Each structure stands twice: as C-alpha cells, then as structure tokens.
Amino acid sequence: FNVTVEPSDFITCDENVTVTLTITSDTSLRFPVDIMLVMDQSRPDQNYGGGASNKCDSLNSDKNVMNDFLHNANWILEGDKDRLGIDLYSDDATTGGGTLVSNLNQKENAICNSAPNNPINPPRNSIAEGIELAVEELTKPSHFNPAHVKFIVALSDGLDDSDGAVLAEQVDNAVDKNITIFTVGIGSVIQADSSELEYIADETGGGYYFAEDQNALANLYDIIANRIIDYAIDSNVYIPLPGGEIIDLNGGIIVDQNIVYITGSTQTAT
C-alpha cells in the first residue's frame, strides 16, 4: 500500500483535528470480476450502430462503445481472471453466443453482428428480461465461480414495457445473489423520467448514469469500468483507534478497536 496522511506533522493540542488518510493499492490485489454487458436492441438503427454488415464501425454507436468496453484495459482476460458476457434484449433476451465463458471472438461477434430489434406489438422492450438473463448467466452452475465479484452494466433509452412486479422480482434476485447493477440511460425519454433505472441501481448498490448523447456514452462506460475495479479491490482499510474521543467516523465503522473503511471510499474521521 501507498499511504498519505494529512496533516503530516505531529499534532499536540486539545482541539478536534481532522486527519485524512489516503491509501492506494495495486489493482493486482483485486478480486476477479464477472460482468454481463446488457444492450438495448430497441434503440434507433443509427444510434445502435446498424445491422450485422455495419459491424462495430460506427464511432460512438452503442455497438462501438460496448465493443470498446469489452476490450477495456482494466480487464485481465487471459486465464479467465475476468469474464465478460453479452446480453441483448428487446421483447426477449439472448447472449447471441457471447456467453460468460465463450471466447473473445464470439463475444465480439455477439456485439458487432447484432442488429436493432423493434417489435411492433407489445411487449416491445423489457429490461426485466435483460436482467433475468444476465443473472442466470452470472450464476449458472456450469461456470459459477464464487471468488468472482459479479456485475451487470445495462443500457436503456427508457422505452420499457417491463411489468413492475416482474422487474422488482428480478432486481431482488440480483440482490440475493450479490450482483451489483450499473445502469446507463440515454435519450429524451429517460432524461424526463429515470426513476426505473435509478431504482435498479440503488437497490443493487450500483450507480445510475445519464448520457446526454452518443458522444457521452464512451466516457460513461470508462467511468463504470473504473468503478467496477474500485469495488473489486481486496483492500478494506483498518485503522487502530487513536487515543482521545472520535467525534465523527464519516462512514467508517468500529470493528475490534479499529476504524474500518470500505475499499473505494474516500473518507475522513475526526
């Protein structure tokens, strides 16, 4: 660990003093991650990135951004330390062959050879279907690994026909199985009402992000990749209790006479 303490000088006084302890660690200490990348196939053709013939060539399209996320430098794909799967949903959901344990080329094909799917009759678009498939894939007995921290990253434009009770059931299922969900909203509909995506993220301990336009998507997915790494680092911080009275733990907890801060948090105590 690399440790920085502020203020660094020895303090002798009878005042309350706030001490900030900053600890960084090598990401090699982190847990492996399993991630299901959930794509909304009901998106307009141009935003989605076209059909199979267009591959992932359209810059900042959904397909282009998802393929870049698949190849994000944070992931250690050799030896399956980190595993990513693809989940395409509209009125139904499918991996498109890009399962958690498929090879990288199959995952790329699942993204880049996919096409928008806009069914005429309801239910036209169900994020509940996407979450259900993602949870099933992350917990499938044939390749379940309890040592891997599990995540879902789901994109939606808010044009969702999910039954509220069914969606709640799928979110509860994710919570029960310790799966964290990050949601990304894009477009005017989700800008007007993001409550569904916020609910999914809040209930599972993830985060909700809004992309104003296609150009913002890539940056948001980079941010989410970094947050996933923060969640997965195996380095909670234990600080022996000092003398004197602690006024404010600011998010820490007391365990066996230590102040404990959870990995990825930025905290101070007084």
Side-chain angles (χ1 to χ4, degrees), residues 25 83-84 98 108 117 123 134 137 147 154 162 202-203 206 212 231 233:
S25 63
R83 305 184 299 184
L84 285 84
E108 292 170 341
N117 179 27
E137 184 67 17
S162 294
D202 290 345
E203 289 294 309
E212 294 183 359
Y231 275 54
I233 291 175

Side-chain angles (χ1 to χ4, degrees), residues 126 233 236 268:
S126 176
I233 291 175
N236 292 345
T268 61

Side-chain angles (χ1 to χ4, degrees), residues 39-142:
M39 298 175 61
D40 183 351
Q41 276 189 292
S42 71
R43 301 264 291 133
D45 185 272
Q46 182 178 2
N47 294 334
Y48 190 80
S53 62
N54 299 100
K55 300 297 183 183
C56 288
D57 297 332
S58 181
L59 186 64
N60 291 330
S61 67
D62 296 356
K63 293 201 299 185
N64 177 265
V65 171
M66 303 307 156
N67 193 49
D68 284 348
F69 185 85
L70 179 65
H71 291 274
N72 190 284
N74 281 304
W75 319 136
I76 303 173
L77 301 179
E78 293 183 6
D80 284 337
K81 176 169 183 179
D82 297 327
R83 305 184 299 184
L84 285 84
I86 312 305
D87 179 347
L88 311 167
Y89 78 94
S90 56
D91 56 336
D92 201 352
T94 175
T95 64
T99 66
L100 205 62
V101 294
S102 62
N103 62 49
L104 184 60
N105 185 59
Q106 290 171 309
K107 302 175 201 290
E108 292 170 341
N109 287 338
I111 297 172
C112 297
N113 291 339
S114 66
N117 179 27
N118 292 284
I120 297 174
N121 298 316
R124 293 182 293 272
N125 185 36
S126 176
I127 195 170
E129 294 273 1
I131 293 174
E132 180 179 18
L133 177 63
V135 171
E136 287 177 359
E137 184 67 17
L138 288 168
T139 58
K140 190 174 291 185
S142 60

